[in-house]
Every structure is written in C-alpha cells, then in structure tokens.
Amino acid sequence: MSTEQTPAEAVPAAGNADSARQQLFWGCFVALITTSFAFVGRLTLIGTWSEQFGLDPAQAGRLAGIGIWPFAVSIIGFSLFIDRIGYKTAMFVAFLGHLVWAVLGVSAFYTEDKQTAYQMLYWGSLLVALANGTVEAFVNPVVATIFGENKTKWLNILHAGWPGGLVVTGLFVIGLDTYDASSGSVTPWAVKVGIIALPAVIYFLMLVGKSFPQSERVSAGVSYREMLAEFGTAGAAIVGFLTALQLMDFFSGGDTASLSSGLKFLFIGIGVAITVAFGVYTRSFGNPMLLFLCLIMMPLATTEIGTDGWISAIMEGVAEEQGIHAATVLVYTSAIMLVLRFFAGPIVHAISPLGLLSISALLAIAGLTWLSTAEAGMLFAAATLYGVGKTFFWPTMLGVVAEQCPRGGALTLNAISGIGMLAVGTLGFPYIGILQANNQRAAIVEETALEEVPTVEKKSYEILAYQAINDDELAVAVEAAEGVTDEEVAEVRAAANQGALADMAYFPGFMLACYLILWAYFSSTGGYKAQVLTKAEPEASAA
C-alpha cells in the first residue's frame, strides 16, 4: 500500500489537535540537522587534511567542493521523479548515503596509504553530498505541502535545523580539541566524521513509520510537463553550464589543463544536451521570475555556505591570537541563525520576504567587511552582524520560490537550492580559496622584506585561472632573504586570509541590488503577493 497521500489524508489541518503533521515536520527537521553534521565534520578538517595530503588553498577548496556540488545532482535529479517514487523512498536513499560516509570517513583515518585514504575521503564526500541533496529533495516539498498556508514561516523553521546541526557539531569539535589541548591526547579525527551516524539513525527511526503527503503540484492536477516548463530551457542552461564545468574538473582530477579537447567537448555537449532536451520537451523558456531568483541564489549560496565552509580555516590566525578555537565564529553565527529562524514568521509578516532579504544583505555586507579587520572583542560584534545577515537568506528564498512559482512543484523549489549548491561547489569554494591566495601573495610582498613571491600558474574548474604560492620555492626564498623568518611569513599569510572576507562582501552587494529590482517590480504590480495554485486540467500528452 502506498504511503504517499494527499495533504488532507496524510496530515491534519493547522487547527486540528492531531500531531501527525508535527511529527512529520520534526523528522524532516532532524534529517536536515544531519546534513550539517556532514558539513561541519568535513570542513573543520579541511586544514588538517590539507596538511596531511599537501594541498594548496584552491586544491583544498576542491576537496571542500566535492562535498557540496553533488548535492545539486541529487536534489535536482530526485526532483524530476520524486513525485513518482515517493518522499519515503528518497528518505531511505539519504539514510544509506549518510551511513556509507560514516564508514568511509572513519576507515580513511585508519588507512596507512595516503593516496588510498584521500580517495576514500574524496569519494565518501561525494556520496554524503548526494545524501544531503536527497534530504533536501524531500524535506522542502513535504514542509511546503503540509504547511501550505504559511510556507515562508515554516521553511524558515525547518531550516533552523541546518544551523542547529552546525552548533551541536561545532561545539562537539571544539570540546574534543579543547580536551586534547588540555590533556595532551590526540582524538582521532575519524570521530568528527563518524558522529554523523547518530542523527542519521534518529531521523530514520522518526520517519520510517510515517505517511508522507502528495505534493501540492500533484494534488492540484498540474502536469509533469507544466512543472518542467516553469524551470524551462533557461533554467536547464544554467544547470548544464555548471554541470559541464564540474565534469571537466571531476574527470581531470582537478587539473583541467590536462584534459583532452575531446573530453572537454564531450562535457560541453552534455551541458548542451541537458538544455536542448528541456527545450524540446517543455517548449518553454522558463518562468522569468524563477530564473532571476536562480541568478541570485548563486552568490547567496557562496555568501552563506561558502563562507561557512572556509570560516574556520580563514580565522585560524586571529583565533590563535585571541586564544579561541577557529570554529567558534561559525558556532556563534550558527547559534544566531538557529534562534532567529524560529521567529521568521512575525518578521516576514511585518516587512515582507523581500524587505527581510534586503535588510539581510545589508547586514551581511557590513558583517563581512567588519570581520575582515576585526580584532579581540570586536570579532564577535562583527560576527553578530554577519550571523544576523545570513540567517534568513536560504529559507526565505525558498519561501519566495514556493509562493511565486508553485506550479513548478518539487522541481522549482529544489532546483534553486541545487543551483546554489552547484555554484558554490564548482565556483564559490575555489574562488574563495583563490581570494585567499591572492591576499596572501600581496600581503607577503607588502609586509615583509621579500620583493617577490614564487608562484605557479594553475586553473580551477577550467575558467578560474590563478597564481598559487609555490611553498617549496617560498621556503628557499625566505631562507635566502635577510630579516625574514618562516614564522613572520606564516603570520602574514594568516592575517591575509582574514582580509579576504572583505572581498566576499561583493556577493551580498550583488544580491541587494537584485532584491531592490524585485521590490521595484512588485511595487509596480500592486505589491508582493503569493501565487495561489488552482486546479489545473492535465495535458493529454503529459508524462
């Protein structure tokens, strides 16, 4: 017997005493917490793994990215057929992926061969990213369906699970590191990745016996073709472009310059094929509103997820000076997000989703700029601005998509998240690493007696060319120079990483401009209003 039911059958109305809807919601909430366990478990170890495997900043960004961009593959891929296989099936797939990552991550620590260990981390990171995307593929449409009367509020509360997991895991990591420092022991880093098994088992047990609703789109009779038409040819082109870049990087081992022209054309062809297939089937350019929101989502994901992923490594130098753990800033800003997302409903009601997003962008700009130079007590004041600024970005954008593009069903709601994650994995993470490398190079020349920093030409994801510092030649240059020490250079590089945060403020700056454009558009049409999905006649030719 199917466990996929109409919203009315699966969950009670908002005013009913029955708790089925809340039970389903909190199971989804814990599933989302699990995704951030994977995020923190990996990304607080990027610095450790960089040292262990000899990675430069952009290469470390690539390892970080492999745990991000496959999210887009699963969230978009599942969204194409999740209404047919059911949300519960997607939940089973996500649970399996989380358990496999726990096994591979722990096993990598105990594997003596470095190359084998690195491959286990790399492929395990890919699998856990697929699992994380699968979680979002079912939790977003489930919550948007069972709380259809107040989507933005409940999507914000749902996505409090993400910072909630960051706080719990971050405190766990800080506790382990503090204990090691005080006791002189060394806790295996395998513990930091294996801990994900705990919330994974919890959400599985919470959801395995539950009935899941049928999507709002299916219940309203909107056809499969109409759902795809909302995304359209232009949306497919964005996904195709980012997919082609990722395939080039994936099959070249990170050195796209070594990739043959034939393979490059093949991967470009795959991107084109995705676009053409959508165009032929849907005969639609796509909903212009959705496409504009997709463009905003790329810098938004880099502002939130990209900065969160790098913040511990970036702040290592200043954190050491202040005697705090490098992950403290991430935990602090995540705690702010956790609390504030529970209060999104009244805020959205008072100032509208676009007003909330615009104010958030302003605060993020100020926070990142201040964080780039903050010292001592001012560090947490700046982090407060940044934390408040990023709090409402992701779930409020999902709320806007759900309210403005309901005919797109699970696909449009999840595709915008997928595009954001694909963009931050293929472009955002490496670009932030490149910003750090550029800042380090400039700071060494400006603040030490070295007149030139040895570099090597590299390229990330085929289109991001950069000058990486040649550490071996730099060590030789420092030894030969008078009045320069390795310690001085290390301090300068650490401070330069913090300064790179100012460059990241350009991302929310672009977002603010876009939100003002949307505000002007809706003002000209009578104000922001949610689109109501009405019963549609199914197309005879729809799949």
Side-chain angles (χ1 to χ4, degrees):
M1 181 177 176
S2 172
T3 59
E4 305 300 320
Q5 305 173 24
T6 66
E9 293 170 332
V11 291
N16 291 352
D18 195 297
S19 63
R21 180 165 68 168
Q22 288 294 332
Q23 291 173 3
L24 188 60
F25 172 81
W26 289 112
C28 292
F29 185 87
V30 176
L32 199 57
I33 284 178
T34 306
T35 65
S36 55
F37 266 63
F39 183 82
V40 175
R42 291 182 64 259
L43 293 178
T44 56
L45 290 168
I46 289 297
T48 299
W49 292 339
S50 295
E51 182 177 346
Q52 183 171 341
F53 301 111
L55 309 177
D56 67 42
Q59 290 172 328
R62 182 173 178 267
L63 179 58
I66 191 64
I68 299 295
W69 68 261
F71 172 106
V73 174
S74 55
I75 192 173
I76 296 175
F78 262 104
S79 297
L80 292 172
F81 53 83
I82 197 169
D83 290 330
R84 297 185 179 184
I85 67 171
Y87 298 133
K88 181 170 284 190
T89 300
M91 185 273 291
F92 275 102
V93 172
F95 173 67
L96 179 62
H98 284 140
L99 284 190
V100 171
W101 160 242
V103 172
L104 286 176
V106 170
S107 299
F109 178 82
Y110 295 101
T111 301
E112 295 184 0
D113 182 71
K114 284 189 175 183
Q115 181 61 25
T116 301
Y118 178 82
Q119 290 300 319
M120 294 174 78
L121 290 175
Y122 187 84
W123 290 103
S125 295
L126 183 147
L127 289 175
V128 78
L130 291 173
N132 287 349
T134 305
V135 165
E136 289 236 19
F138 77 85
V139 299
N140 287 329
V142 163
V143 171
T145 297
I146 64 177
F147 292 106
E149 75 282 358
N150 208 338
K151 297 175 183 177
T152 299
K153 169 187 172 180
W154 283 99
L155 283 169
N156 266 280
I157 296 175
L158 170 68
H159 281 266
W162 170 261
L166 294 182
V167 170
V168 173
T169 319
L171 290 175
F172 175 74
V173 169
I174 291 173
L176 279 182
D177 291 346
T178 302
Y179 172 78
D180 288 348
S182 62
S183 66
S185 61
V186 178
T187 302
W189 53 254
V191 175
K192 296 178 182 178
V193 295
I195 190 66
I196 191 178
L198 178 60
V201 170
I202 291 174
Y203 83 71
F204 177 78
L205 294 177
M206 291 179 72
L207 294 174
V208 67
K210 296 294 181 292
S211 294
F212 285 69
Q214 196 175 64
S215 76
E216 181 184 17
R217 188 270 303 179
V218 174
S219 298
V222 177
S223 73
Y224 183 73
R225 187 193 299 276
E226 288 176 294
M227 178 185 77
L228 297 187
E230 281 286 291
F231 195 54
T233 307
I238 296 173
V239 173
F241 169 72
L242 295 173
T243 300
L245 292 181
Q246 186 55 63
L247 288 172
M248 290 181 193
D249 179 84
F250 184 75
F251 284 95
S252 68
D255 181 17
T256 54
S258 65
L259 199 65
S260 69
S261 298
L263 282 177
K264 288 182 181 179
F265 281 116
L266 171 64
F267 298 141
I268 292 172
I270 291 174
V272 172
I274 292 172
T275 306
V276 171
F278 249 78
V280 170
Y281 183 71
T282 67
R283 301 187 295 275
S284 167
F285 178 77
N287 185 330
M289 175 61 68
L290 176 67
L291 300 176
F292 192 68
L293 294 173
C294 284
L295 293 178
I296 300 173
M297 197 67 181
M298 290 189 276
L300 184 152
T302 301
T303 300
E304 180 178 338
I305 307 298
T307 304
D308 282 351
W310 273 111
I311 197 75
S312 294
I314 288 173
M315 300 303 293
E316 279 178 357
V318 68
E320 185 176 348
E321 288 180 8
Q322 305 302 324
I324 62 176
H325 194 283
T328 303
V329 174
L330 174 61
V331 171
Y332 176 67
T333 58
S334 298
I336 293 172
M337 294 171 69
L338 171 62
V339 174
L340 291 181
R341 282 183 176 176
F342 278 93
F343 298 96
I347 299 173
V348 169
H349 180 73
I351 62 175
S352 85
L354 292 180
L356 178 57
L357 287 168
S358 298
I359 293 172
S360 296
L362 279 171
L363 293 175
I365 293 168
L368 285 171
T369 304
W370 194 1
L371 267 176
S372 68
T373 59
E375 298 179 359
M378 291 297 100
L379 182 65
F380 284 94
T384 300
L385 270 184
Y386 168 63
V388 174
K390 70 174 182 173
T391 290
F392 302 108
F393 278 150
W394 198 284
T396 303
M397 280 289 286
L398 292 183
V400 171
V401 171
E403 291 177 348
Q404 298 302 318
C405 312
R407 297 178 70 81
L411 176 62
T412 53
L413 185 58
N414 288 329
I416 193 165
S417 287
I419 286 173
M421 292 300 250
L422 188 59
V424 75
T426 55
L427 301 175
F429 269 117
Y431 185 68
I432 293 172
I434 290 170
L435 288 176
Q436 291 178 69
N438 291 342
N439 276 28
Q440 288 178 19
R441 194 172 64 252
I444 290 172
V445 173
E446 182 178 341
E447 299 180 30
T448 73
L450 290 177
E451 297 181 357
E452 187 177 354
V453 178
T455 61
V456 58
E457 290 274 356
K458 291 190 176 182
K459 185 178 288 188
S460 181
Y461 289 93
E462 188 61 21
I463 62 173
L464 295 176
Y466 67 101
Q467 296 277 342
I469 295 176
N470 188 319
D471 290 315
D472 292 335
E473 292 187 13
L474 177 60
V476 173
V478 169
E479 185 176 353
E482 293 186 8
V484 184
T485 64
D486 291 329
E487 292 75 13
E488 179 188 4
V489 171
E491 290 176 3
V492 169
R493 293 180 73 171
N497 284 344
Q498 183 185 2
L501 290 169
D503 295 321
M504 298 178 203
Y506 288 109
F507 296 122
F510 173 81
M511 293 155 53
L512 176 60
C514 292
Y515 293 141
L516 292 176
I517 291 172
L518 286 175
W519 178 83
Y521 166 75
F522 282 109
S523 295
S524 69
T525 59
Y528 182 91
K529 297 182 183 67
Q531 298 296 309
V532 178
L533 192 60
T534 56
K535 181 72 176 180
E537 293 295 329
E539 296 179 0
S541 60

